[in-house]
Amino acid sequence: MFDPLQFKSNFPLFFQQENKALIYLDNAATTQKPQCVIDAIVDFYISKNGNANRASHRLARSATSILEDVRQKSANFLGASHKDEIIFTSGATEGLNLLAKGLSRQLDKDDEILLSVAEHHANLVPWQAVAKKTGAKLVFINNNLEDIDSKLTHKTKIVSCSAVSNVFGQFNGVDRFKRIKKKYPDIFLIIDASQMVGKTPVNVNDNFCDFLVCSPHKFYGPTGVGLLYGRRDRLRCLNVSKFGGEMIESVDLFESSYAEPPYCFEAGTSSLAAIAGLGACIGFIESQFEKGMLAYEKKLIGYLHERLSVFINDFPEISLQTKVKDNIGIAAISSNRYSMADLGFWLDEHDIAVRVGDHCAQPLLKSLGLTSVLRVSVAPYNTFEDVDALIQCLYDFFKKNNENLCTTAPFFLTGDESASDYKDELSAINYHDFLTTKSWANKYTKILSLGKLVAKKPFLHKDRYLVSGCEASLWIHVIEERSQKETAFNFVVDSDSIIVKGLAALLLCRVNGKSAEHIKGIDFDAYFSDLGLEKYLSESRFSGMQSLLKYIWLAIDK
Ligand code: PMP
């Protein structure tokens, strides 16, 4: 019988003083690491560190044997027939880039590359670059792959799909891919298994793909190492795209010949300590499979959905975007009315880690008319009590903050209004009030009330006004008022997050109506530090403020 608490006891992070209350529900981004993985990494550096494949001394031999031993373990774990079908990469992203570049020589102008609209950017952007270079066409299937058969033609050269969506956790199963493989044996079929490995046993020998990529850091392994499986005969069709030491057979000044796969794809020194950690991780996960880890995870995701379904009955403006069936551990909610960024902030305040945003799947969200999704992703160290605590915190947010967080200042849409109608919107703010506010609870309330002063401005919600680098959406527009003496700048903003609006208001009330010279004289570092916000704000939220500042500099420098 699988015991989640016993499982959790393997993960030292949860037992550090600062993490004792942490409820970690961002496992689709990365999982925590068990002691055995940490030990293997430390042990490598303490007693085994040498460079693999390069020298014959004892430490080099030991590093080489770890590398090859973990290659074999990885092959067994994924069901590959030979260890030389396993290439070590730095992660799924590098694996997909190697495939896109490596297969580009197989493509002609009239060929088609089939992807789904649900792909992670890592399985989309490299193909866009290849399509541009080769003239091949990108063809898209829908997010649950239902129309894949109708999109396959004699022009299809490559199919590259994720087995599990990183936003909705839907496992598409491998039968569909097996059928394609059987019917179109020449197509290069690539599976992005980043969210699949560790959540269900994988057997590439089952003939459902030619290539498969994954990132062990998503299944208790270290960051810095990834796996690319390629069927032996198919690896021979893959061009080498990374060059350097150890991937060669011989080198002359003008020509080189390359080593056999997989070595020709592993230029430079691999992340040896991470690979040692991966070896420990595979042993760990296989033993947990045997203990019933997957069945427990299934129950947990069922419970999470059960509780969320009841919750959204009470708050119908929230939508549950995920289903329990074939779900590998993700629940996602969205809302047109409430800010998911603010909700994520609230949960973080209560030490519950989730992820909010577009999850590197912008086309998927756009196709569903969504801008931001709050994703809860579980692992077997999560308990039913963790789910209860999350749900309670959601209720608290909506009950206690309903007033504050869900309404914005009244807006008077006339249909032809412009940013200049709002140029004085922040003029009444006195930031000195904020400087004298001591406790975080009071600061938080003040940020919310400042946020409410910023009216909703749908006319600003355009890509050209969007500030990049901010967790929530933040739009800004500058209005210049020229007089004989000088030019005064007024910045007008909007955001889907009240907190971000409040923070932006705190920044803009210092600069609005001022000249470039005046703005240049403000010491913003000192101002931020006087406001006392850095220690409360996440890196990404704070960097959103920095991006806003950058925008201001650019506007006044023009
Ligand atoms: N594909 C999917 C489906 C993913 O979820 C991720 C990570 N979120 C990636 C690719 C990229 O993985 P990595 O950042 O580890 O390279």
Side-chain angles (χ1 to χ4, degrees), residues 52-53 63-89 225-229 235 246 260-268 270 272 275-276 278-279 282:
N53 298 324
T64 307
S65 100
I66 288 171
L67 186 79
E68 293 312 317
D69 179 44
V70 177
R71 200 188 298 279
Q72 182 64 60
K73 275 192 179 137
S74 305
N76 298 346
F77 182 55
L78 296 179
S81 309
H82 310 278
K83 82 178 171 77
D84 57 13
E85 294 180 320
I86 299 295
I87 297 162
F88 290 117
T89 62
V225 61
L227 295 175
L228 162 54
Y229 155 80
L235 276 181
E246 287 311 304
E260 288 293 302
Y263 304 102
C264 58
F265 300 110
E266 293 178 354
S270 297
L272 297 169
I275 288 170
L278 169 61
I282 290 173

Side-chain angles (χ1 to χ4, degrees), residues 28-29 91-94 96 120 122 162 164 166 192 194-195 215 217-218:
T93 302
E94 193 192 15
L96 289 162
H120 187 282
S162 54
V164 176
N166 64 309
D192 175 359
S194 302
Q195 297 291 346
S215 277
H217 72 86
K218 292 185 193 285

Side-chain angles (χ1 to χ4, degrees), residues 141-167:
I141 45 188
N142 68 15
N143 65 15
N144 48 21
L145 313 186
E146 271 160 0
D147 57 347
I148 194 164
D149 292 288
S150 68
K151 297 281 170 77
L152 282 161
T153 69
H154 65 281
K155 292 184 179 171
T156 313
K157 204 66 178 261
I158 294 171
V159 174
S160 189
C161 286
S162 54
V164 176
S165 152
N166 64 309
V167 186

